[in-house]
Amino acid sequence: MRRLGFVALAALAAPLAAHAQPAAPATTAEAAFSYEEIMVPMRDGAMLQTVILRPRGKPGKLPILLQRTPYGVPGQAPASIPASMRFLMEDGYILVFQNMRGQFKSDGDFTMSMALDAKGKKDVDEATDAWDSVDWLVKNVAGNNGKVGMWGVSYPGYASAVALARPHPALKAVSPQAAWNDWWINDDLHRYGAARLSYLTDWLFSLQNNDQGDDFDYGGKTPVDTYDWFLKLGPVENLDKLYFKGSVPQFSAMIEHPDYDDFWKRQRWTDKLGRTTVPTLHVAGFWDQEDPLGTWKIYEKMEANDPDGLNLIVGGPWAHGTWHTPGSDVGYVKFGKESGTDFMRDIEAPFFAHWLHGKGARPNFEAKMFQSGSWEWKSYAKWPARGTTLTNLYLQPDGTLSFTAPADAGQCREYVSDPANPVPFRERPISRTYPSQEWRWWEAADQRFVNHRPDVLSYTSAPLEADLTVTGDIAAKLMASTSGTDSDFVVKLIDVLPDDYEPARPGTLGEYPRTLNGYQFPIAMEVRRGRYLASFEKATPLTPNKVVAWDVALRDHDHVFKKGHRIMVQVQSSWFPVIDRNPQKFVPNIYKAAPGDFVKATQRVCGGSLVALPIVK
């Protein structure tokens, strides 16, 4: 099950400790922490299960670090300090972990709603629960210094971020890591309105089918290949009709709200943020396979009203939460520097030490990025970084890439997209989301496994004559058409490593395929759903064979394409089963498409298609 014992600490977090078992009970008097389980009252009378871990050997009053989570609180004190807590606990904190409403022993219902609608004295939402928890802790936990910090990765990251909508006076520092603000635009449930089918199946079931986090069993068996299982499932609503049967309310609601309507908009909690008054350290991974966008959007919203310079952001070559590991690789791509250790020691621990202990200097950066490609830390006075030039890289009709626009914009390349044979998002067989290691780094996996499919277009540059640094927000624009009345387009920006990138030991079976020679290293990937080109709020059909602009946001990155590498762009129309299949025939509710609605379509990508790169000159 995707639940945590003590591994909830310090954003070891659900994504890093998926299916982890509770730590063995501490059996000696030398345990690193004392342990206390209590129930903390909320304003409406609900009691929330809460665990207090007090460090041994740290005299005097200490600040509180609070993490609110749906994934389970520690069942006992650990015998030693976890590696991810090493630098934080050199300063010392009273660690508090709390189960959110409806999870494990906590009262109430776990609705997953992000709406901040509480108005009356007894009305509650996640922001009021955070306020009430901080208020109770500073008044009732012995030996605290009156200062509270909140932090966490993923759901605990969101739970810390949402406290900033109504911050308690004792809340003095917050670090939302891989947090989110809008489940329709991006992150766990959708990517710009396209459902994240396989992931949301596993994640939502474990959260809402019961309060203990049991996994979805795929109809009583572990599937050999989820690609095959979801293909046989048919339309998305069959997941609820045949398996969930209403036991996962968030999924049921999603089926009834396919468009960006008020159900989703009222949950965009960042609309309630005002002036930034609490020091905040946002943390994002460039290869975050679960929550890639929310951190950037929360930072952006807070930055708009931050007169005191309290809003900071850190990004790096990390998957979901891997900044709490040594962080010396991007999946198969190893770079030999411990970016995660650097983050924990030099950024996270000093941030909380200054604001909660009054130790050390105030953080003196606005944005820090561990830049991929160069594999070096960079500091920026603003983010997006200044001094870049937005430069168009054009997709040429002969399959090359060039910074020169094509002479004939009317030339196109085409392929046939077949919903019965969708492009897989990673190599088959595709295992369940958890505890598969493939899931963690699929966004960094070699893309050669689809490069020569007839329904994938590849565009490749000549080897670069000098390093090319891309820092900031990347975006693509396709000039494209479909013969259908609905369609998806997926765009991937790829760093193609040289064929002689590393030597192989001759004569060793399987050695050469394990090298990075010719590796197609994805830097940014995203999907755009055609029914939402005109409006996210109301789906509309496409005009068959009409070439229109498809804007595809590729998010923030900081990457160096090295001399001798090539740049590649891949374009395709399915990404299965991480994204649900588009039937390619317009229907009012895509999740309720009939089997006969799934049809082949001819896709054309035409002159004027480009990727806009913020290049450092």
Side-chain angles (χ1 to χ4, degrees):
M1 62 179 184
R2 194 193 184 209
R3 295 294 174 169
L4 309 181
F6 184 68
V7 287
L9 278 172
L12 287 173
L16 288 185
H19 296 76
Q21 298 301 312
T27 58
T28 73
E30 300 303 318
F33 299 86
S34 64
Y35 180 92
E36 181 182 8
E37 181 177 323
I38 58 175
M39 301 297 286
V40 172
M42 300 293 104
R43 64 188 62 188
D44 64 342
M47 306 292 285
L48 302 189
Q49 182 188 14
T50 306
V51 161
I52 300 172
L53 299 176
R54 190 182 304 272
R56 300 187 188 277
K58 292 289 183 181
K61 293 187 175 182
L62 296 175
I64 293 169
L65 268 182
L66 168 64
Q67 184 171 111
R68 305 188 64 246
T69 177
Y71 297 124
V73 296
Q76 61 279 313
S80 61
I81 296 173
S84 67
M85 295 293 293
R86 171 188 166 194
F87 301 110
L88 278 171
M89 294 313 296
E90 287 178 359
D91 297 308
Y93 297 90
I94 300 168
L95 302 175
V96 179
F97 299 91
Q98 181 181 84
N99 276 324
M100 299 167 78
R101 286 174 180 263
Q103 295 300 90
F104 296 88
K105 298 179 186 177
S106 290
D107 294 341
D109 296 321
F110 183 59
T111 66
M112 298 188 70
S113 174
M114 296 189 290
L116 300 183
D117 294 334
K119 295 180 176 61
K121 291 183 178 180
K122 298 295 184 180
D123 293 342
V124 297
D125 53 37
E126 292 300 345
T128 66
D129 280 356
W131 200 101
D132 292 348
S133 299
V134 171
D135 191 63
W136 191 94
L137 291 169
V138 293
K139 292 176 180 177
N140 292 279
V141 174
N144 83 81
N145 70 356
K147 297 180 179 180
V148 178
M150 293 184 69
W151 94 130
V153 171
S154 196
Y155 223 122
Y158 152 71
S160 65
V162 77
L164 295 164
R166 299 191 193 100
H168 190 282
L171 187 62
K172 300 300 184 183
V174 176
S175 183
Q177 304 179 12
W180 56 69
N181 75 314
D182 191 323
W183 272 332
W184 195 92
I185 293 295
N186 210 293
D187 297 323
D188 293 289
L189 302 185
H190 297 87
R191 285 192 169 194
Y192 299 95
R196 302 190 67 192
L197 179 59
S198 56
Y199 172 63
L200 70 84
T201 296
D202 290 331
W203 187 58
L204 289 181
F205 186 91
S206 72
L207 281 169
Q208 285 200 304
N209 176 261
N210 61 86
D211 64 5
Q212 300 298 309
D214 291 343
D215 282 335
F216 178 51
D217 67 1
Y218 287 81
K221 63 180 181 180
T222 300
V224 174
D225 184 354
T226 57
Y227 179 99
D228 184 60
W229 192 91
F230 282 105
L231 197 58
K232 292 175 180 174
L233 176 70
V236 174
E237 72 168 350
N238 284 350
L239 187 60
D240 202 28
K241 283 184 175 181
L242 302 177
Y243 297 100
F244 290 178
K245 300 179 180 180
S247 69
V248 183
Q250 183 71 279
F251 184 78
S252 299
M254 184 174 156
I255 296 299
E256 299 305 321
H257 296 274
D259 304 333
Y260 196 38
D261 60 14
D262 287 343
F263 173 80
W264 299 108
K265 289 182 178 180
R266 64 185 285 266
Q267 296 189 63
R268 191 175 57 205
W269 65 268
T270 42
D271 291 352
K272 301 295 178 70
L273 285 169
R275 173 175 171 155
T276 299
T277 59
V278 180
T280 304
L281 177 68
H282 306 271
V283 186
F286 295 134
W287 281 269
D288 191 326
Q289 79 283 17
E290 296 182 17
D291 298 299
L293 186 64
T295 290
W296 304 99
K297 289 302 181 183
I298 301 168
Y299 166 80
E300 180 183 287
K301 178 68 174 181
M302 294 181 65
E303 189 67 10
N305 192 0
D306 180 32
D308 301 317
L310 301 174
N311 188 44
L312 313 175
I313 191 165
V314 177
W318 305 313
H320 196 56
T322 60
W323 46 89
H324 281 283
T325 70
S328 57
D329 61 76
V330 184
Y332 291 104
V333 180
K334 303 185 187 303
F335 50 87
K337 296 180 180 180
E338 294 194 351
S339 62
T341 301
D342 291 346
F343 163 75
M344 292 183 284
R345 180 189 61 228
D346 301 332
I347 299 174
E348 182 182 52
F351 171 79
F352 282 116
H354 176 78
W355 294 111
L356 300 183
H357 280 281
K359 295 171 60 175
R362 174 173 171 165
N364 63 353
F365 65 90
E366 171 71 22
K368 273 188 180 291
M369 305 291 156
F370 191 89
Q371 186 180 70
S372 53
S374 71
W375 312 115
E376 299 286 350
W377 281 102
K378 303 290 182 179
S379 292
Y380 300 101
K382 285 289 183 184
W383 189 266
R386 295 168 174 162
T388 64
T389 301
L390 199 62
T391 306
N392 293 336
L393 181 64
Y394 291 94
L395 283 59
Q396 303 291 340
D398 63 354
T400 62
L401 291 172
S402 170
F403 289 108
T404 302
D408 183 358
Q411 293 189 63
C412 306
R413 298 175 72 194
E414 67 179 45
Y415 59 92
V416 175
S417 171
D418 183 359
N421 183 29
V423 181
F425 79 99
R426 54 183 167 97
E427 283 192 279
R428 296 181 61 186
I430 300 176
S431 56
R432 293 185 303 173
T433 306
Y434 308 108
S436 148
Q437 287 299 304
E438 296 85 12
W439 169 255
R440 181 178 297 181
W441 285 113
W442 76 265
E443 286 205 355
D446 191 347
Q447 296 300 294
R448 282 180 290 191
F449 76 102
V450 297
N451 189 31
H452 294 290
R453 278 184 60 123
D455 52 357
V456 177
L457 296 181
S458 293
Y459 300 80
T460 311
S461 75
L464 295 173
E465 296 180 356
D467 290 357
L468 182 74
T469 301
V470 175
T471 300
D473 190 18
I474 301 172
K477 181 180 77 171
L478 298 182
M479 299 304 299
S481 70
T482 176
S483 63
T485 49
D486 196 3
S487 183
D488 290 348
F489 278 103
V490 176
V491 177
K492 307 175 188 175
L493 177 66
I494 296 168
D495 185 342
V496 182
L497 308 190
D499 290 334
D500 60 353
Y501 186 82
E502 61 181 346
R505 293 191 299 274
T508 304
L509 180 63
E511 179 65 22
Y512 180 76
R514 287 193 288 269
T515 70
L516 296 179
N517 295 320
Y519 193 98
Q520 294 178 5
F521 180 30
I523 305 305
M525 304 188 286
E526 195 53 89
V527 63
R528 189 69 196 272
R529 181 146 282 180
R531 61 179 39 230
Y532 298 123
L533 287 183
S535 169
F536 287 153
E537 288 79 9
K538 181 176 175 54
T540 53
L542 300 173
T543 301
N545 301 312
K546 180 180 180 180
V547 176
V548 295
W550 297 63
D551 293 318
V552 185
L554 294 172
R555 303 194 309 273
D556 294 74
H557 296 270
D558 196 0
H559 180 74
V560 179
F561 294 89
K562 300 294 287 184
K563 178 182 177 179
H565 293 213
R566 291 174 294 158
I567 302 174
M568 174 181 281
V569 173
Q570 285 181 354
V571 179
Q572 59 199 57
S573 289
S574 49
W575 215 13
F576 190 73
V578 76
I579 297 297
D580 66 313
R581 294 177 302 152
N582 192 314
Q584 302 182 150
K585 174 184 176 183
F586 181 84
V587 292
N589 187 328
I590 196 169
Y591 304 131
K592 298 182 179 183
D597 295 325
F598 290 79
V599 296
K600 293 181 181 180
T602 299
Q603 317 288 72
R604 292 188 301 151
V605 178
C606 302
S609 299
L610 58 88
V611 177
L613 301 175
I615 293 177
V616 178
K617 297 295 187 180

